[in-house]
Amino acid sequence: MLYVTLTIDHRALDGFQALHEETVQAVIGCGERGRRAYGAYALAYPSRLRVVACAESDPQKRDLFAMEHRLEPDDAHADWRGLFTNPRPAFEAVVVATPADNPPLMRLRAA
């Protein structure tokens, strides 16, 4: 499994245009970066990037993200650990779109 941390800079998303096959990903953090950058890219280019699961502690952000990406309720987690406890559906990459000083993110990087 590949773990990816990307920046908010939309130019960073240009690298995804080189993908020839669909990448299946999960998103941790469904706020500004998770939803409006990476989530929006996945919706705009579904043949390149597909979101199959998410983790977000804010229920409103999580529900909106899940609705936009047509995720099953069991695939929208309140905590990032849920993505790895029962990784259904399978994903190839994880985009971490949370503040760098976020304690859960720091624990994930240490794992």
Side-chain angles (χ1 to χ4, degrees):
M1 183 178 308
L2 172 69
Y3 299 91
V4 180
T5 301
L6 300 172
T7 65
I8 188 67
D9 186 346
H10 292 274
R11 291 172 291 175
L13 295 175
D14 291 340
F16 283 121
Q17 294 179 3
L19 296 175
H20 299 288
E21 297 179 15
E22 175 187 71
T23 298
V24 180
Q25 73 172 20
V27 175
I28 298 174
C30 302
E32 290 299 312
R33 284 178 284 173
R35 180 172 170 252
R36 295 184 185 215
Y38 309 111
Y41 186 91
L43 292 172
Y45 300 98
S47 64
R48 296 179 185 152
L49 194 61
R50 182 168 51 104
V51 175
V52 297
C54 72
E56 169 60 55
S57 59
D58 182 316
Q60 291 178 331
K61 290 178 183 177
R62 182 176 60 246
D63 292 347
L64 179 59
F65 190 91
M67 181 189 69
E68 290 174 341
H69 292 274
R70 298 182 178 159
L71 302 181
E72 296 293 327
D74 290 343
D75 299 326
H77 305 275
D79 187 280
W80 62 269
R81 290 176 210 108
L83 293 172
F84 303 100
T85 305
N86 184 17
R88 185 203 69 77
F91 45 84
E92 304 163 321
V94 176
V95 170
V96 179
T98 62
D101 61 349
N102 184 311
L105 173 60
M106 295 168 78
R107 286 194 295 275
L108 176 61
R109 285 183 177 161

